[in-house]
Amino acid sequence: MSRAEPRARILRFDSLESTNKKARELAEAGEPEGTVVVARIQTGGRGRMGRRWFSPPGGLWFSVVLRPQIPPAQAPVLGLLTGVAVARALKGLYRLESRLKWPNDVLIQGKKVCGVLTELSVRGEILDHVIVGVGINASFPLALLPSELWARTTTIQELLGRTIELEPLLYRVVEELDKRYLEFVGGKTRGILEEWRALSETLGRKVRVDTLEEAVEGLAEDIDASGALLIKTAKGPVRVMAGDCVHLE
Ligand code: BTN
């Protein structure tokens, strides 16, 4: 188990509106790849699909600036590999067994412990940078979150029955992320997709995915090399690139 500080440049803040927002500002001002922005609390944490992300003290809220030279359509794989990295870190540090809900929620005992928000900046056909934001419900009681979230959310503190240190968790997640990111930009995506499939709670289940345009319902059969979910519906196979996934059975 490595506790060494990663090579990444880590910028720490007490309070930010959103680490994704700060990381994006830095990236637009030329911040190099690999910089990590961490905040003790976020006052306007952002979730996927325009939702709010509650970010009390004790959580691990951070974003990474990446500049992969890949077609924008490949970018969803970054979210998948981040989910895998978090799952590996939680297993390595605390022996917690996570499962992944497409596209990149990390669940433990069926409840969400981590969410990932990937935001792309595209110039023409070219990806300028990607901000990968990670929110881990780490060392705080569930009571700090709104009660409507309690049934489907958990925290590491609740699971272990004790508080945890955030720094070793940050370093471990960044290390696991770095390893897989280098594989990905080196063209080795297959192993990452295999890891995701092995941890998946979504594949093989009946799902409904709410995209911005429509709801797609059917059997989640696989993911493809771009990270899209392949769903067998009554009308035939459908490939979904982004959306909100609900497990129906
Ligand atoms: C989700 O909806 O599941 C994604 C949640 C992502 C939250 C993290 S916390 C750090 C980073 N900054 C944000 O504003 N959002 C992400």
Side-chain angles (χ1 to χ4, degrees):
M1 183 170 75
S2 159
R3 280 175 182 258
E5 181 143 358
R7 284 166 294 129
R9 176 167 127 94
I10 300 183
L11 304 177
R12 294 180 171 81
F13 294 85
D14 184 58
S15 172
L16 285 177
E17 183 185 326
S18 156
T19 57
N20 265 37
K21 181 165 182 253
K22 184 73 180 178
R24 164 166 261 174
E25 286 163 9
L26 290 166
E28 278 165 4
E31 188 69 29
E33 167 161 285
T35 295
V36 177
V37 176
V38 197
R40 189 180 65 88
I41 56 168
Q42 297 184 114
T43 54
R46 307 204 288 239
R48 293 181 62 248
M49 314 291 284
R51 279 190 288 258
R52 200 173 157 196
W53 182 263
F54 293 92
S55 315
L60 183 58
W61 322 123
F62 72 95
S63 303
V64 188
V65 176
L66 298 174
R67 297 184 181 277
Q69 293 181 1
I70 54 165
Q74 288 287 314
V77 176
L78 292 167
L80 300 188
L81 73 83
T82 303
V84 172
V86 171
R88 292 286 180 230
L90 298 184
K91 169 91 172 166
L93 288 173
Y94 318 114
R95 300 274 143 230
L96 289 171
E97 299 284 350
S98 309
R99 305 285 294 166
L100 302 176
K101 180 158 88 86
W102 185 88
N104 34 44
D105 285 356
V106 182
L107 311 180
I108 298 180
Q109 295 169 12
K111 295 183 172 183
K112 182 159 167 172
V113 73
C114 167
V116 176
L117 177 65
T118 306
E119 294 183 300
L120 313 186
S121 172
V122 181
R123 289 206 182 136
E125 295 290 292
I126 307 289
L127 204 49
D128 181 67
H129 63 263
V130 181
I131 307 299
V132 174
V134 181
I136 305 180
N137 297 331
S139 195
F140 63 86
L142 205 50
L144 289 194
L145 296 177
S147 56
E148 59 268 24
L149 296 178
W150 294 353
R152 52 195 160 87
T153 308
T154 191
T155 76
I156 297 173
Q157 177 172 328
E158 294 286 345
L159 291 160
L160 297 180
R162 62 174 171 90
T163 59
I164 58 159
E165 284 179 52
L166 297 183
E167 289 291 280
L169 176 57
L170 173 66
Y171 297 165
R172 186 62 176 258
V173 175
V174 169
E175 182 186 313
E176 298 282 354
L177 189 59
D178 193 41
K179 197 158 69 186
R180 288 169 182 81
Y181 177 68
L182 292 177
E183 280 176 25
F184 173 59
V185 292
K188 295 193 192 117
T189 308
R190 195 186 301 177
I192 294 163
L193 299 178
E194 277 310 316
E195 274 191 296
W196 190 91
R197 289 185 181 106
L199 290 167
S200 169
E201 186 67 21
T202 300
L203 298 183
R205 292 180 75 140
K206 205 172 165 218
V207 297
R208 191 189 70 241
V209 179
D210 298 315
T211 72
L212 290 175
E213 297 88 33
E214 55 173 351
V216 181
E217 204 170 303
L219 180 69
E221 288 198 306
D222 201 1
I223 47 167
D224 70 12
S226 310
L229 187 64
L230 307 175
I231 305 178
K232 185 176 158 192
T233 75
K235 293 186 199 149
V238 176
R239 177 174 179 271
V240 182
M241 295 189 60
D244 220 16
C245 178
V246 182
H247 293 160
L248 297 175
E249 289 166 5

